[in-house]
């Protein structure tokens, strides 16, 4: 009280507001009441005061006015945050405003929790060398919460019966000791429950030392254990605990404590398995005044020892591996050592009997077995291949096997083939660290047992279950992320039924690698067929649920998800001439893994597209060619007329066969005449009157006749001009008649009469027409001879045949050659033809030739006005 008054007095010298209490320590979760008092002033009253906490005004409802100079406030302490609580004044008088610092006061709120009662107090003194240590180590559990502003401290107290705290200079064996813990902070103090017991109940000794295990040949099912005491009996009496297990197993078997006596140094383990290696451990514990108490020591180090051999107490475990062959079935018999082999199996003796209708006894055969000591002592039962046979589907086989060790033989094990029925609806799932199986039994009710088989690659194992069982767990050592092929076989009085099989994982994980993808063939223009490899079982680590195909072109990425049971897919709707990167992700229920990328480029043209274009263009070109040829065939006359104008063939001209007295008629030339020569019979006596009449009747021909007095009118050359090559040879005449348009054959007529008054022979002489070559084009009338035939026919009627030639051969020697030539020219002019030209000179017949030179009457006639040629 005096201290509080002193604080208020000090504040009164400087401040007009004072809060009580000062610097409180508050328990979180409780309420706190503070009082603000006005001192040394009458300028303000309690009504002018108000409270703030963390810059937040406390509501008026939480105020309590004590008098005109004091007011209380009550707040709830809710969190661990430290805060300031201020009392302030609302009066705005000049004095209060000027001296505002004297009208404010605050306190710091320290928050915390009351200490909790310590729990689970334990104290222990461990053995050091041959004695118990003087240091006692106590442990407890703290209860409640604490803050950094209000920490909790703990104090361990040790006392005797009168609770006196004494130092331990020597551990007090056989005395009573008491321990407790005190928890203390600014908000209070609390003690734990007191721990009171015999001092030996607080000690922990070392495990028994020099543990020794002995095997006795006459006792194959027991082991003798010996050890030494860890501490002298004067300090503490001990009890012991022994545990053991087969080597490699972690299933410990404990010897009941009721079978163990106190203060012993040996013990015999019984009911052990012969020829089995055991691991043995021991520990000790002190005894109290009335019963055992204290702490167990640590377990001793492992002591390993094997029991002696005994004869096998169980049968060998027979099984078969079957497969189809060309002649039936291939059956491989295998065998596991007996579960209770009780020693190292040295040989297997078996009897194999094949039956058709009944069994036939066979002799027993021995199969030596080479087992090492390590294999025999291990928990893994070795598998021995007995024999492989070929068996037809109609045959049965029986195998009897006996296993032998150094002590004796096992019971006989038998197995009979073939199957009779099958297990249905096998289900396998993982639970904990085991694979569980469930199945429906076969329709037959005489199932004696089931064989559960699991295969991993080439590793095979099995176990047997009761015939009434339809659910079990695999008892073998299974590994995670490994695929097992699990099968259940029904057994009917030692006959094997058809199994049900399924694949299973003890635990699935993400694949260790993804599938490798590649193309099938070459990519197309808009598609590509992909195929990928199946992930190996040891890398798969689970069932593949699906594959995801990722393919990228540039910045665009597409993906397609396909089921996990397919390994190929065809991508469609791809862009042509584009590079794609493809990878495939394989997924299980626990994760996924990507394979390597594979790149390919689609074709610019689809397969066969170029060939189709070439074939189309070729067919189009062929169509155009064919249509052009057809057009040429159907329009050949018009095309010929436009591109190759028709030029008449002189060889077909009617002038070569013309005669005024005879109709036009083709005649085969005689052999003694020139080829291409036409012969015309005319009456020489009337020739002048005939041509004069012709000229009178055809005035258009008059100029022609006048011009012919100086020119032949054939090609514009004179009859007396330089001679041209005549057509006199029979072989060449035919060819010259068929020459081209550049060389035109014309005819000249030679009329033979009496030469210089000579009298011609009695035979009538005829004019000879000889063909000649010229480039002079024909007249229009020559090109259309058919139109002129009727008119020529009328002219032929006007000129009857009157032979009046006189032979001049007789007077040829007396006639002037000039006069003879003049006469010949006049005759030719009358006929409008030139004489025959041959070998570049005129041929004048002699007396001897006259008869032969005169031609016979032609078979056709020709009108001069029709066959003539227009002068140039």
């Amino acid at each position: 009280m005096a201290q509080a008054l002193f604080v208020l007095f000090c504040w009164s010298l400087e401040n007009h507001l004072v809060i009580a209490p000062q610097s409180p320590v508050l328990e979180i979760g409780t309420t706190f009441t503070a009082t603000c008092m006005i001192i040394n002033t009458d300028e303000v009253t309690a009504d002018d005061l108000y409270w703030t906490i963390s810059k937040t005004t406390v509501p008026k409802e939480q105020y309590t006015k004590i008098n005109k100079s004091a007011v209380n406030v009550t707040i709830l302490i809710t969190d661990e945050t430290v805060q300031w609580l201020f009392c302030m004044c609302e009066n705005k008088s000049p004095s209060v405003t000027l001296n505002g610092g004297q009208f404010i006061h605050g306190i710091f709120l320290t928050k915390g929790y009351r200490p909790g009662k310590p729990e689970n107090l334990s104290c222990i003194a461990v053995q050091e060398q041959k004695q118990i240590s003087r240091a006692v180590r106590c442990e407890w559990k703290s209860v409640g919460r604490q803050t950094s502003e209000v920490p909790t401290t703990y104090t361990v107290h040790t006392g005797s019966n009168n609770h006196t705290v004494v130092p331990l200079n020597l551990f007090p064996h056989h005395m009573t000791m008491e321990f407790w813990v005190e928890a203390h902070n600014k908000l209070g103090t609390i003690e734990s429950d007191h721990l009171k017991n015999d001092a030996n109940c607080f000690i922990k000794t070392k495990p028994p030392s020099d543990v020794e295990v002995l095997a006795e040949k006459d006792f194959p099912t027991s082991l003798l254990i010996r050890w030494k005491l860890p501490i002298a009996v004067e300090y503490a009496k001990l009890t012991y605990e022994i545990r053991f297990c087969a080597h490699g197993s972690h299933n410990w078997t404990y010897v009941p404590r009721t079978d163990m006596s106190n203060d012993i140094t040996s013990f015999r383990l019984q009911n052990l398995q012969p020829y089995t290696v055991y691991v043995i451990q021991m520990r000790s514990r002190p005894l109290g005044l009335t019963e055992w108490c204290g702490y167990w020591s640590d377990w001793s180090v492992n002591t390993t020892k094997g029991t002696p051999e005994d004869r096998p107490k169980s049968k060998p475990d027979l099984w078969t591996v079957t497969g189809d062959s060309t002649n039936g079935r291939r059956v491989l018999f295998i065998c596991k050592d007996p579960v209770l082999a009780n020693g190292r199996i040295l040989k297997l003796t078996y009897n194999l009997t094949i039956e058709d209708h009944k069994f036939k006894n066979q002799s027993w055969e021995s199969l030596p077995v080479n087992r090492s000591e390590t294999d025999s002592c291990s928990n893994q039962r070795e598998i021995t291949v007995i024999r492989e046979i070929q068996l037809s589907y109609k045959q049965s086989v029986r195998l009897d096997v006996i296993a032998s060790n150094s002590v004796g033989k096992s019971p006989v094990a038998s197995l009979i083939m073939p199957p009779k029925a099958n297990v249905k609806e096998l289900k396998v799932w993982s639970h904990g660290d085991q694979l569980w199986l469930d199945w429906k039994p076969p329709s037959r009710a005489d199932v004696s047992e089931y064989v559960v088989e699991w295969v991993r690659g080439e590793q095979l194992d099995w176990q047997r279950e009761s015939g009434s069982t339809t659910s079990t767990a695999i008892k073998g050592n299974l590994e995670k992320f490994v695929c097992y092929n699990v099968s259940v076989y029904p057994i009917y009085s030692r006959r094997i039924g058809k199994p049900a099989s399924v694949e299973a994982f003890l635990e699935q994980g993400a694949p260790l690698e993804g599938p490798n993808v590649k193309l099938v063939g070459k990519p197309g223009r808009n598609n590509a067929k992909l195929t990928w490899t199946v992930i190996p079982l040891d890398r798969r680590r689970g069932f593949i649920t699906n594959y995801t195909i990722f393919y990228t072109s540039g910045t665009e990425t597409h993906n397609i998800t396909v089921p996990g049971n397919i390994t190929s897919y065809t991508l469609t709707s791809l862009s042509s001439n584009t590079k794609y990167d493809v990878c495939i992700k394989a997924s299980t229920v626990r994760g996924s893994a990507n394979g390597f990328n594979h790149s390919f480029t689609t074709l610019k043209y689809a397969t066969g597209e170029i060939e189709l274009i070439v074939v189309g263009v070729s067919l189009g070109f062929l169509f155009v060619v064919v249509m052009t040829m057809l057009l040429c065939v159907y329009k050949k006359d018009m095309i010929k007329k436009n591109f190759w104008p028709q030029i008449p063939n002189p060889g077909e001209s009617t002038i070569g066969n013309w005669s005024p007295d005879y109709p036009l008629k083709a005649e085969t030339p005689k052999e003694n005449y020139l080829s291409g020569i036409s012969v015309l019979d005319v009456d020489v006596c009337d020739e002048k009157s005939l041509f004069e009449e012709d000229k009178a009747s055809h005035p258009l021909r008059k100029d022609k006749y006048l011009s012919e007095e100086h020119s032949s009118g054939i090609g514009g050359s004179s009859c007396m001009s330089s001679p041209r090559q005549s057509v006199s040879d029979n072989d060449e005449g035919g060819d010259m008649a068929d020459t081209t348009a550049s060389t035109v054959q014309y005819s000249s007529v030679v009329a033979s009469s009496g030469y210089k008054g000579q009298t011609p022979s009695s035979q009538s002489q005829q004019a000879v027409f000889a063909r000649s070559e010229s480039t002079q084009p024909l007249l229009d009338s020559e090109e259309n001879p058919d139109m002129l035939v009727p008119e020529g026919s009328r002219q032929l009627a006007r000129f009857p045949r009157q032979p009046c030639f006189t032979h001049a051969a007789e007077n040829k020697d007396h006639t002037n050659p000039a006069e003879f030539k003049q006469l010949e020219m006049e005759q030719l002019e009358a006929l409008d033809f030139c004489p025959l030209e041959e070998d570049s000179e005129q041929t004048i017949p002699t007396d001897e030739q006259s008869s032969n030179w005169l031609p016979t009457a032609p078979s056709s006639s020709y009108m001069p006005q029709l066959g003539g040629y227009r002068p140039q």
Side-chain angles (χ1 to χ4, degrees), residues 422-429 436-443 450 470-471 486-488 490 498-502:
N422 62 304
V423 175
K424 302 177 182 178
E425 299 184 17
L426 174 62
K427 298 178 182 179
V428 181
W429 70 94
W436 287 83
L437 293 78
D438 184 80
W439 65 88
K440 286 187 177 181
S443 56
Y450 294 98
T470 59
S471 179
V486 181
S487 303
V488 176
K498 188 176 180 181
S501 302
V502 69

Side-chain angles (χ1 to χ4, degrees), residues 382-541:
E382 293 296 320
I383 297 177
T384 304
V385 176
I386 298 177
R387 187 172 175 180
E388 181 178 2
I389 62 171
Q390 297 290 332
L391 192 68
S392 69
Y393 290 105
K394 297 181 180 180
Q395 290 179 316
S396 296
V397 62
R398 173 173 177 167
L399 178 67
D400 299 317
V401 178
I402 298 174
S404 302
N405 61 11
S406 61
V407 178
K409 297 180 180 180
S410 70
V412 178
S414 300
L415 184 65
I416 301 175
M417 293 287 291
K420 292 298 183 179
N422 62 304
V423 175
K424 302 177 182 178
E425 299 184 17
L426 174 62
K427 298 178 182 179
V428 181
W429 70 94
S430 175
H431 180 70
D433 294 331
Q434 290 182 309
L435 279 179
W436 287 83
L437 293 78
D438 184 80
W439 65 88
K440 286 187 177 181
S443 56
R444 293 181 55 176
D446 57 341
V447 178
S448 59
E449 62 178 342
Y450 294 98
V451 173
V452 179
E453 176 190 79
W454 59 96
V455 181
R456 172 195 175 184
E458 297 181 355
Q459 299 180 8
L460 179 145
D461 203 351
W462 66 90
Q463 68 187 38
R464 296 181 181 271
E465 300 292 340
S466 169
S468 60
T469 302
T470 59
S471 179
T472 187
I474 293 179
K475 301 177 179 63
N477 296 325
L478 303 182
E479 297 182 16
K480 297 180 180 179
F481 316 127
V482 174
C483 182
Y484 291 93
N485 189 2
V486 181
S487 303
V488 176
Y489 292 80
I491 308 297
Y492 305 93
S493 299
R494 296 174 295 178
R495 293 178 179 266
I496 304 174
K498 188 176 180 181
S501 302
V502 69
E503 291 184 340
F505 285 85
L506 179 63
E507 182 178 338
Q508 298 190 58
L512 296 179
E513 63 182 39
N516 295 325
V517 61
K518 63 180 180 180
L519 283 177
V520 178
K522 295 182 179 180
R525 182 174 181 268
N526 302 112
N527 57 73
K529 186 175 182 180
L530 305 176
T531 183
W532 54 90
T533 58
V534 177
I535 303 175
L537 281 175
D538 58 339
R539 310 288 291 175
R540 196 179 305 170
R541 293 163 49 101

Side-chain angles (χ1 to χ4, degrees), residues 17 44-45 48-50 87-92 96 103-104:
L17 297 181
V44 295
T45 62
D48 298 327
L49 302 180
Y50 69 95
C87 178
M88 307 180 71
C89 181
E90 293 181 333
N91 194 312
K92 301 301 181 184
V96 174
F103 292 92
I104 183 172

Side-chain angles (χ1 to χ4, degrees), residues 16-17 42 48 56 65 81 103 109 147 159 303 308 317 324 410 471 498 540 754 766 783 799 829:
H16 298 294
L17 297 181
D42 295 330
D48 298 327
T56 301
K65 183 178 179 182
T81 306
F103 292 92
L109 302 182
T147 63
T303 303
D317 194 350
D324 295 330
S410 70
S471 179
K498 188 176 180 181
R540 196 179 305 170
Q766 298 179 349
E783 297 178 4
F799 299 99
E829 288 175 358

Side-chain angles (χ1 to χ4, degrees), residues 712-777:
S712 65
I714 304 174
S717 63
S718 174
C719 293
M720 300 301 295
S721 63
S722 300
R724 291 181 297 273
Q725 182 179 1
S726 63
V727 185
S728 59
D729 188 89
N730 290 333
D731 295 334
E732 296 176 357
D735 296 335
M736 296 299 293
D738 297 330
T739 56
T740 60
S742 63
T743 304
V744 184
Q745 296 180 358
Y746 298 104
S747 299
S748 63
V749 182
V750 178
S752 178
S753 61
Y755 180 70
K756 291 186 177 184
Q758 295 180 7
T759 303
S761 63
S762 61
Q763 280 183 324
S764 60
Q765 297 180 358
Q766 298 179 349
V768 179
F769 291 82
R771 303 298 295 261
S772 64
E773 296 180 357
S774 173
T775 58
Q776 178 67 30

